[in-house]
Amino acid sequence: MGKNVNKNGNLAVIVGIKDEKMGAFLQVYVQRNLSVAIRGFSEICQKNENIKNYPDDFNFYCLGDIDENNGDILPTPTGAQLISKAKDFIQKETK
């Protein structure tokens, strides 16, 4: 998951946010590595009103890697791999 081997070390990870109710990926983008991708998803979860209001509906997946030198895309061998769930990043407001 986001760890395909490349002799040049120029792989970036392809990740996506999926709306599980819709059954589709809303955003797919490239990040330098999984740690940066997870940090970015956490930030999106805190700022996006739709995700904040319906955290059970959104999940974050690794879709593969991309070689930044030649553009080769290496999908994950078993399809999209769940990385984290939006509900894990939503801070509950205290009343």
Side-chain angles (χ1 to χ4, degrees):
M1 169 166 48
K3 298 204 185 246
N4 285 307
V5 177
N6 178 297
K7 63 184 175 187
N8 299 323
N10 299 321
L11 290 181
V13 64
I14 303 168
V15 293
I17 299 171
K18 185 175 182 183
D19 181 332
E20 301 293 350
K21 289 269 171 98
M22 186 183 297
F25 286 92
L26 301 179
Q27 294 178 331
V28 175
Y29 53 97
V30 175
Q31 285 287 355
R32 197 70 182 137
N33 58 50
L34 277 177
S35 296
V36 172
I38 293 167
R39 180 179 65 201
F41 179 59
S42 172
E43 197 170 298
I44 289 169
C45 290
Q46 297 303 317
K47 294 180 179 180
N48 183 293
E49 289 299 319
N50 204 27
I51 293 175
K52 282 171 55 175
N53 290 333
Y54 306 100
D56 289 327
D57 295 350
F58 298 92
N59 293 318
F60 192 55
Y61 289 85
C62 178
L63 305 174
D65 295 299
I66 184 168
D67 185 311
E68 294 179 312
N69 287 337
N70 62 25
D72 286 348
I73 294 176
L74 307 163
T76 55
T78 57
Q81 300 291 310
L82 180 66
I83 298 172
S84 56
K85 299 179 178 194
K87 68 181 181 180
D88 296 334
F89 294 105
I90 302 299
Q91 296 174 354
K92 303 292 182 197
E93 294 182 20
T94 55
K95 296 183 180 188

